[in-house]
């Protein structure tokens, strides 16, 4: 059989097939790195909405370990990391503070500090560590001031931001 001059030779065709296969493997590998983060994040958010905070905390810890791969795969696929929100750092940090998991929040601090692309979230771990301490202060204040009004908690725990205290009290209520 004769070969059409416009079609590639079998050797060139095999090389192109190999390159496409390699590109697909790289794309699938990159997608799976990002996909793992998003799957875990979705499960974490579902656990939060179901008020299953122990499961949510475990998934938030797992999400922290998946963040570097998410940054790599996003940069590889889109050329930059420009996500507007990272629930694993935002809500996940709140859940870790609620769970009293200082070790995971310290790990969050290291992860965020190690990835320049996460600079917009550099204060999240610090805020969550403060929230961990505030959860303890609020719980202690409730125990030692039964019947006190929520509006007085700002002064009792020594915080200027009453809205923050109210939000944390709400999380404590949801957690029982």
């Amino acid at each position: 059989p004769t070969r059409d001059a416009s079609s590639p030779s079998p050797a060139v065709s095999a090389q192109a097939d190999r390159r496409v296969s390699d590109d697909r493997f790289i794309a699938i590998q990159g997608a799976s790195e990002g996909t793992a983060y998003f799957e875990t994040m979705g499960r974490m958010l579902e656990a939060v909405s179901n008020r299953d905070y122990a499961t949510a905390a475990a998934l938030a810890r797992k999400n922290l370990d998946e963040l570097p791969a998410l940054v790599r795969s996003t940069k590889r696929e889109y050329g930059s990391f420009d996500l507007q929100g990272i629930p694993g750092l935002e809500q996940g940090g709140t859940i870790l503070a609620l769970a009293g998991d200082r070790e995971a929040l310290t790990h969050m601090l290291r992860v965020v500090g190690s990835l320049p692309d996460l600079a917009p979230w550099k204060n999240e771990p610090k805020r969550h560590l403060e929230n961990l301490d505030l959860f303890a202060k609020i719980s202690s204040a409730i125990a030692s001031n039964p019947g006190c009004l929520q509006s007085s908690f700002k002064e009792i725990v020594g915080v200027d931001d009453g809205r923050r205290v109210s939000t944390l009290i709400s999380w404590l209520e949801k957690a029982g």
Side-chain angles (χ1 to χ4, degrees), residues 125-176:
K126 294 173 193 164
R127 186 176 62 84
H128 293 308
L129 282 163
E130 290 170 0
N131 286 347
L132 184 144
D133 294 334
L134 280 172
F135 278 132
K137 284 182 180 179
I138 291 167
S139 296
S140 177
I142 290 170
S144 59
N145 297 291
C148 73
L149 299 176
Q150 184 171 330
S151 58
S152 63
F153 268 89
K154 183 172 102 168
E155 291 80 26
I156 293 172
V157 296
V159 175
D160 293 333
D161 187 353
R163 224 151 99 197
R164 182 178 186 184
V165 172
S166 291
T167 299
L168 296 179
I169 289 171
S170 173
W171 276 105
L172 285 168
E173 272 182 329
K174 290 176 192 175

Coordinates of all heavy atoms in Angstrom, one line a residue, residues 125-176:
P125 N -3.5 31.3 59.6 CA -3.2 30.4 60.7 C -3.0 31.2 62.0 O -3.4 30.7 63.0 CB -1.8 29.9 60.2 CG -1.8 30.1 58.7 CD -2.6 31.3 58.5
K126 N -2.5 32.4 62.0 CA -2.3 33.2 63.2 C -3.7 33.5 63.8 O -3.9 33.4 65.0 CB -1.5 34.5 62.9 CG -0.1 34.2 62.5 CD 0.5 35.5 62.1 CE 1.8 35.3 61.4 NZ 2.3 36.4 60.6
R127 N -4.6 33.9 62.9 CA -6.0 34.2 63.4 C -6.6 33.0 64.0 O -7.3 33.0 65.0 CB -6.8 34.8 62.2 CG -8.2 35.3 62.6 CD -8.9 35.9 61.5 NE -9.2 35.0 60.4 CZ -10.2 34.1 60.3 NH1 -11.1 34.1 61.3 NH2 -10.4 33.3 59.3
H128 N -6.4 31.8 63.4 CA -7.0 30.6 63.9 C -6.4 30.2 65.2 O -7.1 29.7 66.1 CB -6.9 29.5 62.9 CG -7.8 29.7 61.7 ND1 -9.1 30.0 61.7 CD2 -7.5 29.7 60.3 CE1 -9.6 30.2 60.5 NE2 -8.6 30.0 59.7
L129 N -5.1 30.4 65.4 CA -4.4 30.1 66.6 C -5.0 31.0 67.7 O -5.2 30.6 68.9 CB -2.9 30.3 66.5 CG -2.2 29.1 65.8 CD1 -0.8 29.5 65.4 CD2 -2.2 27.9 66.8
E130 N -5.2 32.3 67.4 CA -5.9 33.2 68.3 C -7.3 32.7 68.7 O -7.7 32.8 69.8 CB -6.0 34.6 67.8 CG -4.6 35.3 67.6 CD -4.7 36.6 66.8 OE1 -5.8 37.0 66.4 OE2 -3.6 37.2 66.6
N131 N -8.0 32.3 67.6 CA -9.4 31.7 67.9 C -9.4 30.5 68.8 O -10.3 30.4 69.6 CB -10.1 31.4 66.5 CG -10.5 32.6 65.8 OD1 -10.5 33.7 66.3 ND2 -10.8 32.4 64.5
L132 N -8.4 29.7 68.6 CA -8.2 28.5 69.5 C -8.2 29.0 71.0 O -8.9 28.5 71.8 CB -7.0 27.7 69.1 CG -6.8 26.4 69.9 CD1 -6.2 25.4 69.0 CD2 -5.8 26.6 71.1
D133 N -7.4 30.0 71.2 CA -7.3 30.6 72.6 C -8.6 31.2 73.0 O -9.0 31.1 74.2 CB -6.1 31.5 72.7 CG -4.7 30.8 72.5 OD1 -4.7 29.6 72.8 OD2 -3.8 31.5 72.1
L134 N -9.2 31.9 72.1 CA -10.5 32.6 72.4 C -11.6 31.6 72.7 O -12.4 31.8 73.6 CB -10.9 33.5 71.2 CG -10.2 34.9 71.2 CD1 -10.6 35.6 69.9 CD2 -10.7 35.7 72.4
F135 N -11.6 30.4 72.0 CA -12.6 29.4 72.3 C -12.4 29.0 73.7 O -13.4 28.8 74.4 CB -12.4 28.2 71.3 CG -13.1 28.3 70.0 CD1 -12.3 28.0 68.8 CD2 -14.4 28.7 69.8 CE1 -12.9 28.1 67.6 CE2 -15.0 28.8 68.6 CZ -14.3 28.5 67.5
A136 N -11.2 28.8 74.2 CA -10.9 28.4 75.5 C -11.4 29.5 76.5 O -12.0 29.2 77.5 CB -9.5 28.1 75.7
K137 N -11.1 30.7 76.2 CA -11.5 31.8 77.1 C -13.0 32.0 77.2 O -13.6 32.2 78.2 CB -10.9 33.2 76.6 CG -9.5 33.4 76.9 CD -9.0 34.7 76.4 CE -7.5 35.0 76.6 NZ -7.1 36.3 76.1
I138 N -13.7 31.8 76.0 CA -15.1 31.9 76.0 C -15.7 30.8 76.8 O -16.7 31.0 77.6 CB -15.6 31.9 74.5 CG1 -15.2 33.2 73.8 CG2 -17.2 31.8 74.5 CD1 -15.4 33.2 72.3
S139 N -15.2 29.6 76.6 CA -15.8 28.4 77.3 C -15.6 28.6 78.8 O -16.5 28.3 79.6 CB -15.1 27.1 76.9 OG -15.4 26.9 75.5
S140 N -14.4 29.1 79.2 CA -14.2 29.4 80.6 C -15.1 30.5 81.2 O -15.6 30.3 82.3 CB -12.7 29.8 80.8 OG -12.4 30.1 82.1
A141 N -15.3 31.5 80.4 CA -16.2 32.6 80.8 C -17.6 32.1 81.0 O -18.3 32.6 81.9 CB -16.1 33.8 79.8
I142 N -18.0 31.3 80.1 CA -19.4 30.7 80.2 C -19.5 29.9 81.5 O -20.5 30.1 82.2 CB -19.8 29.9 79.0 CG1 -19.9 30.7 77.7 CG2 -21.0 29.0 79.2 CD1 -20.0 30.0 76.4
A143 N -18.5 29.1 81.8 CA -18.6 28.3 83.0 C -18.5 29.1 84.3 O -19.2 28.8 85.3 CB -17.4 27.3 83.0
S144 N -17.8 30.2 84.3 CA -17.6 31.0 85.5 C -18.6 32.2 85.6 O -18.7 32.9 86.6 CB -16.2 31.6 85.6 OG -15.8 32.4 84.5
N145 N -19.4 32.5 84.5 CA -20.4 33.5 84.5 C -21.7 33.0 84.0 O -22.2 33.5 82.9 CB -19.9 34.7 83.6 CG -18.7 35.3 84.1 OD1 -18.7 36.0 85.2 ND2 -17.6 35.1 83.4
P146 N -22.3 32.0 84.6 CA -23.6 31.5 84.1 C -24.7 32.6 84.0 O -24.8 33.5 84.8 CB -24.0 30.4 85.1 CG -23.1 30.6 86.3 CD -22.0 31.5 85.9
G147 N -25.4 32.6 82.9 CA -26.4 33.5 82.7 C -26.0 34.9 82.1 O -26.8 35.8 81.9
C148 N -24.7 35.1 81.9 CA -24.3 36.4 81.4 C -24.7 36.5 79.9 O -24.9 35.5 79.2 CB -22.8 36.6 81.5 SG -21.8 35.6 80.4
L149 N -24.9 37.7 79.5 CA -25.3 38.0 78.2 C -24.2 38.0 77.2 O -23.0 38.3 77.5 CB -26.0 39.4 78.1 CG -27.2 39.6 79.0 CD1 -27.7 41.0 78.9 CD2 -28.3 38.6 78.5
Q150 N -24.5 37.5 76.0 CA -23.5 37.4 74.9 C -22.8 38.8 74.7 O -21.6 38.9 74.4 CB -24.1 36.9 73.6 CG -23.1 36.7 72.5 CD -23.6 35.9 71.4 OE1 -24.5 35.1 71.5 NE2 -23.1 36.2 70.2
S151 N -23.6 39.9 74.8 CA -23.1 41.2 74.5 C -22.0 41.6 75.5 O -21.2 42.5 75.2 CB -24.2 42.2 74.6 OG -24.9 42.2 75.8
S152 N -21.9 40.9 76.7 CA -20.9 41.3 77.6 C -19.6 40.4 77.5 O -18.6 40.7 78.1 CB -21.4 41.1 79.1 OG -21.8 39.8 79.3
F153 N -19.6 39.4 76.6 CA -18.5 38.6 76.4 C -17.2 39.3 75.9 O -16.1 38.9 76.2 CB -18.8 37.4 75.5 CG -19.3 36.2 76.3 CD1 -20.6 36.0 76.6 CD2 -18.4 35.2 76.8 CE1 -21.1 35.0 77.3 CE2 -18.8 34.2 77.5 CZ -20.2 34.0 77.8
K154 N -17.4 40.3 75.1 CA -16.3 41.0 74.5 C -15.4 41.5 75.7 O -14.2 41.4 75.6 CB -16.9 42.2 73.7 CG -15.8 43.0 73.0 CD -16.5 43.9 72.0 CE -16.5 45.3 72.6 NZ -16.9 46.4 71.7
E155 N -16.0 42.1 76.7 CA -15.3 42.6 77.8 C -14.8 41.5 78.7 O -13.6 41.6 79.2 CB -16.2 43.6 78.7 CG -16.5 44.9 78.0 CD -17.7 44.8 77.0 OE1 -18.5 43.9 77.1 OE2 -17.7 45.6 76.0
I156 N -15.6 40.5 78.9 CA -15.2 39.4 79.8 C -13.9 38.7 79.2 O -13.0 38.4 80.0 CB -16.3 38.3 79.9 CG1 -17.5 39.0 80.7 CG2 -15.8 37.1 80.6 CD1 -18.7 38.1 80.8
V157 N -13.8 38.5 77.9 CA -12.7 37.8 77.4 C -11.6 38.7 76.9 O -10.5 38.3 76.5 CB -13.0 36.8 76.2 CG1 -13.9 35.7 76.7 CG2 -13.7 37.6 75.0
G158 N -11.8 40.0 77.0 CA -10.8 41.0 76.7 C -10.5 41.2 75.3 O -9.3 41.3 74.9
V159 N -11.5 41.2 74.4 CA -11.3 41.3 73.0 C -12.1 42.6 72.5 O -13.2 42.8 73.0 CB -11.8 40.1 72.2 CG1 -11.7 40.2 70.7 CG2 -11.0 38.9 72.7
D160 N -11.5 43.3 71.6 CA -12.2 44.5 71.1 C -13.3 44.2 70.0 O -14.2 44.9 69.8 CB -11.2 45.5 70.4 CG -10.3 46.1 71.4 OD1 -10.7 46.2 72.6 OD2 -9.2 46.5 71.1
D161 N -13.1 43.1 69.3 CA -14.0 42.7 68.2 C -15.1 41.8 68.7 O -15.0 40.6 68.8 CB -13.2 42.0 67.1 CG -13.9 41.7 65.9 OD1 -15.2 42.0 65.8 OD2 -13.3 41.3 64.9
G162 N -16.2 42.5 69.0 CA -17.4 41.8 69.5 C -18.0 40.8 68.4 O -18.6 39.8 68.8
R163 N -17.9 41.2 67.2 CA -18.4 40.3 66.1 C -17.7 39.0 66.1 O -18.2 38.0 65.9 CB -18.3 41.1 64.8 CG -19.6 40.9 63.9 CD -19.8 42.1 63.0 NE -19.3 41.7 61.7 CZ -19.1 42.6 60.8 NH1 -19.2 43.9 61.0 NH2 -18.7 42.2 59.6
R164 N -16.4 39.1 66.2 CA -15.5 37.9 66.2 C -16.0 37.0 67.4 O -16.1 35.8 67.2 CB -14.1 38.3 66.3 CG -13.1 37.1 66.3 CD -11.7 37.6 66.4 NE -10.7 36.6 66.2 CZ -9.4 36.8 66.3 NH1 -8.9 38.0 66.6 NH2 -8.6 35.8 66.2
V165 N -16.1 37.6 68.6 CA -16.6 36.8 69.7 C -17.9 36.2 69.5 O -18.1 35.0 69.8 CB -16.6 37.7 71.0 CG1 -17.2 36.9 72.2 CG2 -15.2 38.1 71.4
S166 N -18.9 36.9 68.9 CA -20.2 36.4 68.6 C -20.1 35.2 67.6 O -20.8 34.2 67.8 CB -21.1 37.4 68.0 OG -21.4 38.4 68.9
T167 N -19.2 35.3 66.6 CA -19.0 34.3 65.6 C -18.5 33.0 66.3 O -19.0 31.9 66.0 CB -18.1 34.7 64.5 OG1 -18.7 35.8 63.8 CG2 -17.8 33.6 63.5
L168 N -17.5 33.2 67.2 CA -17.0 32.0 67.9 C -18.0 31.4 68.8 O -18.0 30.2 68.9 CB -15.7 32.4 68.6 CG -14.5 32.9 67.7 CD1 -13.3 33.3 68.5 CD2 -14.2 31.9 66.7
I169 N -18.8 32.2 69.5 CA -19.8 31.7 70.3 C -20.8 30.8 69.5 O -21.2 29.8 69.9 CB -20.5 32.8 71.1 CG1 -19.6 33.4 72.2 CG2 -21.8 32.3 71.7 CD1 -20.1 34.6 72.9
S170 N -21.1 31.3 68.3 CA -22.0 30.6 67.4 C -21.4 29.2 67.1 O -22.1 28.2 67.1 CB -22.2 31.4 66.2 OG -23.0 30.7 65.2
W171 N -20.1 29.2 66.8 CA -19.4 27.9 66.5 C -19.5 27.0 67.7 O -19.8 25.8 67.5 CB -18.0 28.1 66.1 CG -17.8 28.5 64.6 CD1 -17.5 29.7 64.1 CD2 -17.9 27.6 63.5 NE1 -17.5 29.7 62.8 CE2 -17.7 28.4 62.4 CE3 -18.1 26.3 63.4 CZ2 -17.7 27.8 61.1 CZ3 -18.1 25.7 62.1 CH2 -17.9 26.5 61.0
L172 N -19.3 27.5 68.9 CA -19.3 26.7 70.1 C -20.8 26.2 70.3 O -20.9 25.0 70.7 CB -18.9 27.5 71.3 CG -17.4 27.7 71.4 CD1 -17.1 28.8 72.5 CD2 -16.7 26.4 71.7
E173 N -21.8 27.0 70.0 CA -23.2 26.5 70.2 C -23.4 25.4 69.2 O -24.0 24.4 69.6 CB -24.1 27.7 69.9 CG -24.5 28.5 71.0 CD -25.5 29.6 70.6 OE1 -25.5 30.1 69.5 OE2 -26.3 30.0 71.5
K174 N -23.0 25.6 67.9 CA -23.3 24.5 66.9 C -22.6 23.2 67.3 O -23.1 22.1 67.1 CB -22.7 25.0 65.6 CG -23.5 26.1 64.9 CD -22.8 26.5 63.6 CE -23.4 27.8 63.1 NZ -22.7 28.2 61.9
A175 N -21.4 23.3 68.0 CA -20.7 22.1 68.4 C -21.2 21.5 69.6 O -20.8 20.5 70.1 CB -19.2 22.5 68.5
G176 N -22.2 22.2 70.3 CA -22.8 21.7 71.5 C -22.0 22.0 72.7 O -22.0 21.4 73.7

